[in-house]
Amino acid sequence: MLPLLGELGAERAQQITEALLAAVAHHAAAYALIDLSGVPSLDTDDAVQLLARATQAIELLGATPILVGIQPAVAQSMSARGVSVRAPTLADLASGLRHALRGLGVELTQARQA
């Protein structure tokens, strides 16, 4: 899981992508959750494109990227730039975790109150 906070410029996005891909490969991860809830906007074409390419690279490593917590301004930036991602996009981290766990064959249930 990669929680992102603050502005995501091109240089920072490149560094994060490299670290994320190294971690996915090192851990032979089945899923890579990218939490964008702390990113208020994506202001550059480079940052938007790097995010899209990062999801593709994760797939090439055999993992499934999951984007969670996309803010309205980020969604608008991505769609205005014609960027589409094949990765599942979910509203929040909890939804993303449930999705990944289901994919691994794990189903969470709520404990009953005694």
Side-chain angles (χ1 to χ4, degrees):
M1 184 186 76
L2 175 65
L4 296 174
L5 299 170
E7 295 300 321
L8 193 59
E11 185 177 329
R12 183 169 176 237
Q14 180 66 39
Q15 293 169 344
I16 289 168
T17 298
E18 290 170 6
L20 175 60
L21 295 176
V24 167
H26 177 77
H27 295 288
Y31 292 90
L33 276 80
I34 302 172
D35 183 1
L36 295 163
S37 60
V39 177
S41 65
L42 291 177
D43 293 333
T44 68
D45 287 338
D46 290 340
V48 172
Q49 292 298 330
L50 278 168
L51 181 60
R53 285 196 303 266
T55 61
Q56 292 173 335
I58 290 166
E59 290 174 334
L60 289 171
L61 293 175
T64 300
I66 301 173
L67 301 177
V68 300
I70 296 175
Q71 299 299 309
V74 172
Q76 188 173 17
S77 288
M78 292 177 75
S79 74
R81 289 171 170 87
V83 173
S84 63
V85 292
R86 296 184 315 191
T89 56
L90 298 163
D92 55 32
L93 183 57
S95 299
L97 286 171
R98 280 192 299 274
H99 181 82
L101 289 170
R102 267 194 308 273
L104 295 171
V106 176
E107 190 69 37
L108 297 178
T109 59
Q110 188 170 350
R112 294 181 190 221
Q113 298 288 332

